[in-house]
Amino acid sequence: MFFGGGGFPEGFGGGGFPGGMGGMGRGGGEPVDNETLYKTLGLSKDCTSADVKKAYKKMAIKHHPDKGGDEATFKEITKAYEILSDDQKRELYDQGGEEAVEGGGGGGHDSHDIFSAFFGGGGRSRNSGPRKGEDIVHPIALTLENLYMGKTVKLALTRNIICPECTGSGSKVPGAKTTCDSCGGNGVKLVTRQIAPGMVQQMQARCPQCEGTGNSIKPKDRCTKCTGKKVTQDKKVLEVQFDKGMKHNQKVTFQGEADEAPGIVPGDVVFVVQEKEHARFTRKGDDLLVTQKIKLVEALCGCTFVVEHLDGRKLLVKTAPGEIIKPGEIKAIDDEGMPMHKNPFVKGKLYVKFDVEFPGAGKITPEKVSLIAGALPAGDDMQVEDSENHEEVTMHDADLANLGRSNQGGRSHGGHDDDDDEGHGGQRVQCAQQ
């Protein structure tokens, strides 16, 4: 038998570690690598702990990914520091390399966590502390009047709060064991299911007893108020102020008013404005648009009308005498639009679109035609010369929806097919090939 240093049998090195630690013997004589980590930090094996820290600080800053360094190199530097800065791990490494450290329970840690701990929180930003709970988002339908004048709404909220009786422990007995007996605190259990005849599959599933938390309180130890759930329901009334000029999908947020639970920061309650469609006004930004119907005589001779605003005010609007309003024409009134959010004394414009209504069916008498023609600017008097060479036609009422439908499925209404043989639909004459 071969005995290495210290009189250990073959296959064992100093300290009783497998693999020939302390010299030869790993895998049948392969030497142990216990120098690479020193070389990674640019150190010799006789370096001090202060040398290790100094070398790591210099190289970690240089090779940190946030400074443009390589992630893999940064991890190697951090691994070297983690092992060599710990006296126990360094001794294991010197005797048997990285395998000795792993065999001794020296599991690795996140390289960025080590960097942050070394530099007091520097390096890559990482989430620390308790996580934030989910927000509660609630849409609120508001009329245009509400958004013009502002509105305060009181809303009752039912939410979970930390049980005041047990302060969120779920137990009426201080220090009672809360580790789930069913899953051993893991939150998951191995379950077996059959996937085919004679074939089963094992898989992890959330523990039904603790619902995946890993904690479960025995019935006799449970808090009488929350029955071990750690939270109770509470009702609270929130007074929500919707400011003048708020727009669709704007939000009002109450921070930390969502459900509470042990170990988390409560989320927010968020109310989202949902602007209702208005019967008379159309909103775009801080401007408003209203359509005003006027008669033809008003479009030609001037008109006066009243617009009832969103706050109940009645605006008297007049057109100038003799001003002709064309169909679809748009005019604007300054400072009568929506108030600007957070600055309600500044308002947009109120746009007025005119819809001119023409007289209904019927004809105007010749006498009135003469009066109207005399009052309006003269039209172009088209003189038709040699009228005998013109063909006079007649118009009738039509629907534009029928445009393009002529001669589909038979004759169009009122039409005449000039190609019909003797006025009735005979078979078309076809050219015979010679």
Side-chain angles (χ1 to χ4, degrees), residues 24-134:
M24 306 290 290
R26 191 180 76 170
E30 184 180 348
V32 173
D33 180 6
N34 53 10
E35 296 182 357
T36 299
L37 297 184
Y38 290 99
K39 293 178 180 178
T40 301
L41 294 178
L43 298 170
S44 61
K45 295 188 69 173
D46 58 353
C47 64
T48 64
S49 297
D51 295 334
V52 173
K53 291 182 179 180
K54 184 177 179 181
Y56 171 72
K57 181 177 181 180
K58 180 180 179 181
M59 299 189 70
I61 293 175
K62 178 181 178 182
H63 294 282
H64 196 284
D66 289 352
K67 303 288 185 180
D70 179 63
E71 178 82 24
T73 303
F74 176 70
K75 288 182 178 180
E76 288 297 320
I77 293 168
T78 308
K79 181 176 70 172
Y81 169 75
E82 181 192 4
I83 293 174
L84 300 182
S85 63
D86 185 296
D87 291 340
Q88 184 178 0
K89 292 181 181 179
R90 181 175 176 178
E91 183 179 356
L92 293 174
Y93 178 74
D94 289 342
Q95 293 175 346
E98 290 186 44
E99 289 185 5
V101 179
E102 294 171 2
H109 297 86
D110 188 279
S111 55
H112 296 281
D113 287 339
I114 295 172
F115 184 92
S116 297
F118 185 92
F119 288 95
R124 179 179 296 179
S125 59
R126 301 178 64 82
N127 294 328
S128 59
R131 66 179 178 87
K132 183 181 178 183
E134 292 186 5

Side-chain angles (χ1 to χ4, degrees), residues 204-224:
Q204 285 188 340
R206 189 174 67 168
C207 176
Q209 181 169 314
C210 65
E211 297 182 346
T213 63
N215 296 318
S216 179
I217 304 170
K218 294 180 179 179
K220 65 182 182 65
D221 295 333
R222 290 175 186 169
C223 171
T224 55

Side-chain angles (χ1 to χ4, degrees), residues 3-9 12-15:
F3 290 91
F8 290 96
F12 287 82

Side-chain angles (χ1 to χ4, degrees), residues 290-415:
V290 65
T291 299
Q292 180 64 38
K293 290 185 178 182
I294 60 174
K295 297 185 181 299
L296 178 59
V297 64
E298 293 176 309
L300 299 176
C301 304
C303 63
T304 300
F305 58 92
V306 173
V307 176
E308 185 174 348
H309 214 313
L310 294 166
D311 58 354
R313 290 181 298 122
K314 292 178 171 57
L315 307 180
L316 182 64
V317 186
K318 295 181 179 181
T319 60
E323 180 183 11
I324 297 176
I325 302 297
K326 301 174 184 177
E329 188 167 346
I330 296 176
K331 293 186 177 296
I333 304 171
D334 291 337
D335 301 322
E336 288 297 345
M338 291 293 293
M340 181 185 296
H341 186 225
K342 300 296 185 184
N343 192 9
F345 297 104
V346 177
K347 296 181 180 179
K349 296 180 180 180
L350 172 61
Y351 288 81
V352 181
K353 181 180 180 181
F354 290 94
D355 183 6
V356 179
E357 292 181 313
F358 282 74
K363 293 185 178 180
I364 302 175
T365 61
E367 294 80 6
K368 290 183 178 180
V369 169
S370 299
L371 290 173
I372 295 172
L376 296 176
D380 295 334
D381 187 11
M382 182 178 177
Q383 298 294 329
V384 180
E385 299 178 358
D386 193 13
S387 59
E388 293 182 356
N389 293 328
H390 293 78
E391 183 177 350
E392 186 173 346
V393 295
T394 303
M395 292 192 300
H396 59 81
D397 294 337
D399 187 352
L400 195 61
N402 293 324
L403 181 68
R405 296 182 180 178
S406 298
N407 299 326
Q408 293 183 4
R411 296 181 190 174
S412 60
H413 178 70

Side-chain angles (χ1 to χ4, degrees), residues 115-186:
F115 184 92
S116 297
F118 185 92
F119 288 95
R124 179 179 296 179
S125 59
R126 301 178 64 82
N127 294 328
S128 59
R131 66 179 178 87
K132 183 181 178 183
E134 292 186 5
D135 295 339
I136 297 176
V137 181
H138 188 68
I140 297 292
L142 297 172
T143 64
L144 204 52
E145 286 85 354
N146 298 151
L147 298 175
Y148 185 86
M149 296 180 286
K151 186 176 179 65
T152 300
V153 181
K154 290 185 177 181
L155 297 168
L157 174 70
T158 301
R159 60 172 187 155
N160 292 331
I161 62 169
I162 298 292
C163 176
E165 190 78 20
C166 64
T167 62
S169 69
S171 174
K172 64 182 179 182
V173 182
K177 180 176 178 292
T178 59
T179 302
C180 177
D181 295 328
S182 180
C183 65
N186 295 319

